[in-house]
Amino acid sequence: MSGPSQYQPQNAVLKWVERRLPIGGLIHSSFIGYPTPRNLNYWWTFGAILSMMLGVQIVTGIILAMHYTPHADLAFKSVEAIVRDVNYGWLLRYLHSNGASMFFIAVYIHMFRGLYYGSYKEPREVLWILGVIIYLLMMATGFMGYVLPWGQMSFWGATVITNLFSAIPYVGDSIVTLLWGGYAVGNPTLNRFFSLHYLLPFVIAGVVVLHVWALHVVGQNNPAGVEPQTEKDTVPFTPYATIKDSFGMTCFLVFFAWFVFYTPNYLGDPDNYIPANPGVTPAEIVPEWYYLPFYAILRSIPNKLAGVVAMFSAILVLAFLPWLDGAKVRSARYRPLARQFFWIFVVVCLGLGYLGSKPPQGIYVVAGRILTAYYFFHFLILLPILSRVEKARPVPNSIADDVLGKAGALKAVGSAIVVLAAAGLLLIGGVSQSRAEEETPPTLSWSFAGPFGKFDQGQIQRGLKVYKEVCSNCHSLNYIAFRNLADAGGPGYSEEQAAALASTYKIKDGPNETGDMFERPGRPADYFPAPFANEQQARVANGGAAPPDLSLMAKARGYDRGFPTFIFDLVTQFQEKGPNYIAALLQGFEENPPADFKLPDGSYYNKYFPGHSIKMPKPLSDGQVTYDDGAPQTVQQYAADVAAFLMWTAEPKLEARKKLGLQVMIFLIILAGLLYFTKKKVWADAH
Amino acid sequence: MTTSTSAEHSRRDFLYVATGAVAAVGTVAAIWPLVSQMNPDASTIAAGAPIEVDLAPIAEGQAIKVFWRSKPIYIMNRTKKQIEEARAVAVSSLPDPQSDQARVKEGHDQWLVVIGICTHLGCIPIAHEGSYDGFFCPCHGSQYDSSGRIRQGPAPANLAVPPYSFASDTRIKIG
């Protein structure tokens, strides 16, 4: 397709360079003169979107690495320091963590587009296989990146995934030890994962170059699935594809920005805001959403080795697709049966993803097995048979013909909507089977909710008072320094007030010239001192359960909102599970547990605590803390105030985030509008 | 294309320029946080708060080194002789002319407080060494006098005096 370059530089310097290194010609033939089919639809912009996301991940990743410490004792802390202290650190971190999800959303759309339009077929087999390799590399990179914050899910995800290799007969255990660099996942594992996580994106970039090279040799597929024959079938990449891709990328950025600025923790797991603890496994280990379908396949098979083999086969089978589907007609547009089975397959994948997030019991196991069987049936049996028996509808003679006889564009969108609705109904059916066992915390109204939410300074100040007078007797607040009390978007104290509060605390410092530790009054730069010297002391003083640090509590606790509420939560920007839970827990103590509940000695009954048996006695009672702003001195008010305070300690940049988010959104929407009209103008003479 | 009027042309050109301009503004704005993150973070800035130093243990003729904002600060209790030497030299003859009085606090003339970083290339000069009863930098041979002023060698400027004040006769606050 890209024959000898048409590039003829006029400038003498460029001519001089071009004769020695024809880089101008390479760029010209790849991104300017490159002929692109004129009938491409917007699903084709996801190639450009993926390149953009790779760039975003590499740039934000390199910056995060400037501040991150890959050490088991410091990694979690350094991530918090990035978010709290580094200029725009919260932005860079949320861009990177949500960017991974966006990368996968885009790659799944890109892959399903390839499946639908038969982009893997002759002569694009190598192009497709390179894509599968990129996808595998992305999965490895994403997994290792998720380990780096060294939270509970990082640690236990790393444990579970590395243990997959122990299924290999004879050498499995040795391989796992090799991966760990120790007797379990630990500091050596974290160090090497950091190194590899830095390396792999550049490997991906290298394979992307091969992918694009292969693409430019065989040319792009197109919705009609017929090869371009004449000049009339194609348009030059610039300006036509460039402007269309720019519009697509900007729209995608709007979607991306929604997550980053308004629901940055929607796709994450609250457990990952708890520092890694090798002694406690979280109640449910769930991988990042983009691995869920494969996780469901793994769990569906009741044999360790077979499960691992099935999981990897589910990805590898894609590489053989060009030979499994032998149909000559590429585009599913002209294959009525294949098109229907394609949408069924999409639903099956979504279903597997949903099941991967559910506990492996009851109906979920059965459904998982059925869908796993269907997944392989689709590739190994259905597609080979279909390609032999199906009678395809006539394909257009040329791309130009396809453009003239346009009708099917809306149909594809229509069927996508129908399929998603069907999948939704299916899921509702699945969910109604499972009943709510635990009482979920009531949803309170918070001043910091929604796109324009702000902390109520009075409430944060009252919450701080409750923390100081009650909670701080047992709970630390390790990530909050006294100086933070004077930060913008916080409780609104002046620097003098923060310094005055700090000086009421005794801070251990030293050693001095004689080598002794000493106590001195606190300074603004000091952190709230912990009530206990170490975890063991905290444990002994509290009946065997160490009171957790409260800094991140409002992000480290959540509960299941169920389907379809969890989807609406994305639209309504619901991010307040943590504060709801904290407020409910503080009010959820009951003197008399239900008759059939056996309360262990030294424990208390709490309606909202998972398992209901909590070691913390009811901490608050009416009138316990004196408010001087006239707010009611009730447990209900105390609970709400301290929950709001803890939301601020967990997300101190919330106000800055929402403010910048509004500016970014407005900008992106204006840019998208301008690009849309520019695109229309540019394409006006091509149609 | 051939039928399009010049009005249409200029409208189209305006659209192209507007789109390009908005995109360019966005690109520049996006670079800002990527650069800004390299500046000292909030915890570093907070740790650079003023420090207090007790002068009582420093005998006449002694110097101590303390750290403020990760920089070594020399606090020197100068002898009469050192002060006299520093004040005897003609200010105009110095490479970086500055009187000794301008480099110490009035009424506390024996106390010299300077940032112990050679103004040549950042090494730490050694106190009480060199030919001027002051500081000598072993890296490239710069010599500072008992007022911390450059007298000889490649350094272009006097040792800097940090912001400080006397909280009492025996305590200073640096920063």
Side-chain angles (χ1 to χ4, degrees), chain A residues 1-3 26 29-30 34-35 123-124 126-127 130 209-221 227-228:
Chain A
M1 293 286 304
S2 43
L26 182 72
S29 63
S30 304
Y34 175 67
R124 299 187 177 83
V126 171
L127 173 63
L130 285 167
V209 169
L210 296 180
H211 192 66
V212 173
W213 184 16
L215 175 75
H216 285 204
V217 170
V218 295
Q220 281 166 291
N221 185 28
E227 296 294 333

Side-chain angles (χ1 to χ4, degrees), chain A residues 63 67 85 87 483 667 678 682, chain B residues 19 22 26 36-37 41-43 46:
Chain A
I63 289 174
H67 303 281
D85 290 338
N87 296 341
R483 65 183 158 85
F667 171 81
T678 305
V682 167
Chain B
T19 308
V22 171
S36 167
Q37 53 84 23
D41 70 19
S43 67

Side-chain angles (χ1 to χ4, degrees), chain A residues 126-442:
Chain A
V126 171
L127 173 63
W128 174 260
I129 290 169
L130 285 167
V132 175
I133 292 171
I134 293 172
Y135 176 52
L136 277 170
L137 287 169
M138 279 175 64
M139 291 183 107
T141 312
F143 157 64
M144 286 192 267
Y146 193 55
V147 174
L148 301 186
W150 212 239
Q152 272 290 67
M153 274 301 160
S154 301
F155 184 89
W156 291 102
T159 303
V160 168
I161 301 295
T162 48
N163 266 312
L164 291 179
F165 293 91
S166 70
I168 302 168
Y170 307 115
V171 293
D173 286 335
S174 312
I175 289 179
V176 173
T177 307
L178 189 79
L179 289 174
W180 288 341
Y183 303 111
V185 172
N187 193 50
T189 326
L190 175 60
N191 255 296
R192 64 192 57 183
F193 277 18
F194 176 61
S195 169
L196 293 173
H197 184 71
Y198 206 118
L199 167 72
L200 284 185
F202 297 98
V203 177
I204 292 177
V207 184
V208 166
V209 169
L210 296 180
H211 192 66
V212 173
W213 184 16
L215 175 75
H216 285 204
V217 170
V218 295
Q220 281 166 291
N221 185 28
N222 62 78
V226 293
E227 296 294 333
Q229 289 138 7
T230 62
E231 286 271 301
K232 273 208 279 187
D233 289 343
T234 61
V235 287
F237 192 87
T238 301
Y240 295 97
T242 329
I243 194 73
K244 196 168 176 176
D245 284 347
S246 302
F247 176 61
M249 288 191 283
T250 309
C251 290
F252 192 79
L253 281 177
V254 172
F255 179 70
F256 184 13
W258 184 276
F259 281 89
V260 170
F261 292 107
Y262 295 126
T263 57
N265 294 303
Y266 178 82
L267 295 167
D269 194 306
D271 275 323
N272 227 26
Y273 280 111
I274 305 170
N277 181 349
V280 181
T281 309
E284 268 179 65
I285 297 195
V286 182
E288 288 282 79
W289 69 267
Y290 32 86
Y291 305 123
L292 286 174
F294 303 102
Y295 195 57
I297 290 174
L298 171 78
R299 294 196 307 191
S300 293
I301 295 181
N303 173 289
K304 184 173 175 179
L305 178 60
V308 173
V309 168
M311 187 182 76
F312 282 108
S313 309
I315 303 165
L316 290 179
V317 72
L318 290 169
F320 297 93
L321 192 55
W323 297 277
L324 290 169
D325 176 10
K328 285 280 167 291
V329 173
R330 288 200 190 101
S331 173
R333 239 193 222 176
Y334 309 105
R335 298 180 61 191
L337 283 175
R339 189 168 70 204
Q340 283 168 30
F341 283 113
F342 167 83
W343 289 114
I344 292 173
F345 179 70
V346 172
V347 174
V348 167
C349 290
L350 291 173
L352 279 170
Y354 178 73
L355 292 170
S357 74
K358 290 282 135 193
Q361 0 166 299
I363 178 95
Y364 297 130
V365 177
V366 181
R369 287 188 185 154
I370 294 171
L371 295 192
T372 300
Y374 186 87
Y375 183 96
F376 288 104
F377 165 79
H378 178 86
F379 285 113
L380 300 176
I381 299 171
L382 184 75
L383 285 181
I385 293 179
L386 207 58
S387 56
R388 281 177 181 76
V389 301
E390 185 181 17
K391 270 198 78 79
R393 291 200 285 116
V395 299
N397 289 324
S398 70
I399 290 175
D401 277 7
D402 176 52
V403 174
L404 292 173
K406 223 168 167 56
L410 282 176
K411 246 164 110 186
V413 176
S415 41
I417 291 168
V418 168
V419 161
L420 288 177
L425 287 174
L426 207 82
L427 292 181
I428 294 173
V431 171
S432 59
Q433 302 278 344
S434 69
R435 67 215 142 69
E437 282 171 37
E438 307 276 324
E439 206 168 334
T440 53

